[in-house]
Amino acid sequence: MIDRDTRRRRWLPAVLLPTLALFLVSCSNDNGQNSLAPKGKSAHTINNLFGPVFWVAAVIGVAVLTATVAFAVVFRYRPGTNDSPKQTHGSTPLEIGWTILPALILAVVAVPTVKTIFDLAREPKGHVLDVTVTGKQWWWQVEYPDAHVVTASELHIPVGRPVRIDLRSPDVVHSFWIPELAGKQDVIPGRTQKLVLRTDRPGTYLGQCAEFCGLSHANMRMRVIAQTPADFDVWLRGQQQGPVQRYEGSEVARLTGEKYQCINCHTFDKSSQAVYGPNLTHVGSRTTFAGGSQELNRQNLTKWVMDAPSLVPMQSKDCRKGPAPAYTCVGMPSFTKNTPPDQPVMTRADADQIVSYLLGER
Ligand code: CUA
């Protein structure tokens, strides 16, 4: 026999834990990633489907749960009345009913669902902006092919204009998700996935890689900065300005005596962009860095340049000297601890010079 206290001790966590979970998830009501507060065309389309389907599912869920609990209580074992209930086998009307009713409900739900799928897959019309976004471990490369602009982890878009995104990955599966603007889209190596973004409201929209992609998956963020067409044009023209120097001419290489590799702060021309890391030519114009996980300021950037894995976990301990690229690190190595083979420990003076150069303060 289980005494009353033991029974209460068993029930308590079962009731308290779900209540606590519900309470905790409601703590953050303004995290900028609420797909139920759509601010883009695709997100509205999805939300218009989610609403009615949620209520259909909620009614069915509550009915099934209530019936399950009610049957368990009404027909529970009672000491002293251990007779088996009357046994029955099969009921044609019931079986036809519970086959046809769910089929009808699913058929009704399928109509708006299929329409939404086709709406989201439709090619955008009008003055379309083409962008290529490449998911990497652990940041997003953003390319405007027509303007020859390459940047990272911050996608600027003009309001009122459809943006057609080609999504690619050279390494593992990522998932591109800006909850307030559009649904999730998996990014799969070897394929080009499509996604259309459009919003009429200027603002900053936050996103997050939504597919586990390794050690720093949680730090693989993204933000979409929607601007008026005039502001967007100014930004784009700014990004088109130099310097895009080759390795040989890198200013950082000159400043630090070519001591540190990865083409001396990712400075690249077209041929090397896929290999080393984000284009840092205009890093000073961004609000974040490190896959969008760190606020861009001098202090954070200095810490990052010296010992990046202390801010964001990365597999830099496994850096090995390989054929090409020179170091097969995943992510930024530490230049103060576990330095890559043959690399000197970075001095604070070198880091300061590099950061000043990156922020364009020289
Ligand atoms: Cu990329 Cu998770």
Side-chain angles (χ1 to χ4, degrees):
M1 273 296 275
I2 302 170
D3 66 45
R4 190 169 285 204
D5 275 357
T6 311
R7 204 176 292 165
R8 194 174 296 152
R9 272 202 300 277
R10 283 185 183 172
W11 270 96
L12 214 59
V15 175
L16 272 186
L17 283 179
T19 315
L20 190 68
L22 266 180
F23 178 74
L24 285 177
V25 294
S26 64
C27 283
S28 174
N29 62 351
D30 188 24
N31 60 14
Q33 298 194 125
N34 184 358
S35 58
L36 300 178
K39 297 185 179 79
K41 193 164 176 273
S42 302
H44 270 292
T45 308
I46 294 168
N47 198 45
N48 290 345
L49 174 68
F50 177 82
V53 173
F54 172 82
W55 288 114
V56 171
V59 168
I60 295 170
V62 168
V64 169
L65 278 175
T66 308
T68 308
V69 171
F71 290 156
V73 171
V74 171
F75 299 107
R76 74 185 183 280
Y77 168 75
R78 288 188 179 87
T81 57
N82 198 18
D83 301 333
S84 291
K86 191 179 148 234
Q87 301 295 301
T88 57
H89 179 78
S91 161
T92 308
L94 267 180
E95 284 175 19
I96 289 175
W98 69 49
T99 304
I100 286 183
L101 190 66
L104 275 178
I105 294 170
L106 287 177
V108 169
V109 168
V111 174
T113 305
V114 171
K115 184 181 177 305
T116 302
I117 291 170
F118 278 91
D119 284 351
L120 292 173
R122 196 169 296 141
E123 273 290 307
K125 286 197 194 92
H127 191 27
V128 178
L129 175 68
D130 280 303
V131 181
T132 302
V133 173
T134 309
K136 304 190 181 198
Q137 286 173 312
W138 293 273
W139 57 284
W140 300 96
Q141 178 168 285
V142 179
E143 263 181 282
Y144 299 79
D146 296 337
H148 303 291
V149 163
V150 182
T151 179
S153 298
E154 292 184 4
L155 167 61
H156 287 246
I157 61 170
V159 294
R161 197 172 152 191
V163 181
R164 180 170 43 210
I165 306 180
D166 278 0
L167 287 160
R168 295 182 189 151
S169 166
D171 42 47
V172 297
V173 180
H174 302 275
S175 183
F176 183 86
W177 192 29
I178 312 291
E180 292 183 340
L181 294 187
K184 269 179 211 165
Q185 178 60 63
D186 278 0
V187 185
I188 296 166
R191 297 184 62 161
T192 299
Q193 307 287 87
K194 304 269 179 191
L195 186 76
V196 178
L197 286 188
R198 186 193 160 137
T199 181
D200 293 330
R201 293 199 212 181
T204 299
Y205 302 98
L206 305 182
Q208 178 98 36
C209 177
E211 182 67 47
F212 182 68
C213 56
L215 199 57
S216 252
H217 154 72
N219 295 302
M220 191 169 167
R221 317 264 173 90
M222 166 59 118
R223 50 184 59 196
V224 172
I225 298 166
Q227 298 171 292
T228 62
D231 287 349
F232 174 75
D233 284 343
V234 169
W235 173 83
L236 197 63
R237 273 201 301 276
Q239 299 293 307
Q240 286 172 325
Q241 305 305 309
V244 181
Q245 294 167 327
R246 287 172 177 278
Y247 166 64
E248 291 81 14
S250 164
E251 182 63 10
V252 171
R254 194 184 66 74
L255 283 171
T256 63
E258 301 226 15
K259 273 190 287 204
Y260 312 108
Q261 295 295 312
C262 286
I263 48 171
N264 296 293
C265 293
H266 315 253
T267 311
F268 65 71
D269 60 12
K270 284 258 163 233
S271 60
S272 60
Q273 62 177 276
V275 179
Y276 292 104
N279 179 5
L280 297 177
T281 309
H282 293 283
V283 70
S285 72
R286 298 178 203 155
T287 58
T288 57
F289 70 101
S293 69
Q294 306 292 317
E295 193 189 325
L296 188 111
N297 57 45
R298 205 182 161 89
Q299 196 188 357
N300 285 350
L301 201 56
T302 308
K303 233 190 219 175
W304 179 261
V305 165
M306 297 183 81
D307 186 13
S310 71
L311 291 177
V312 167
M314 283 179 289
Q315 292 157 359
S316 58
K317 263 189 265 177
D318 298 331
C319 289
R320 297 274 183 275
K321 199 161 188 181
Y327 298 104
T328 51
C329 306
V330 178
M332 271 278 284
S334 167
F335 288 99
T336 56
K337 298 178 217 143
N338 307 312
T339 49
D342 309 333
Q343 293 277 296
V345 171
M346 186 177 283
T347 64
R348 176 70 196 222
D350 277 351
D352 277 339
Q353 278 198 314
I354 292 169
V355 168
S356 294
Y357 174 69
L358 291 174
L359 293 177
E361 292 170 3
R362 259 180 353 94

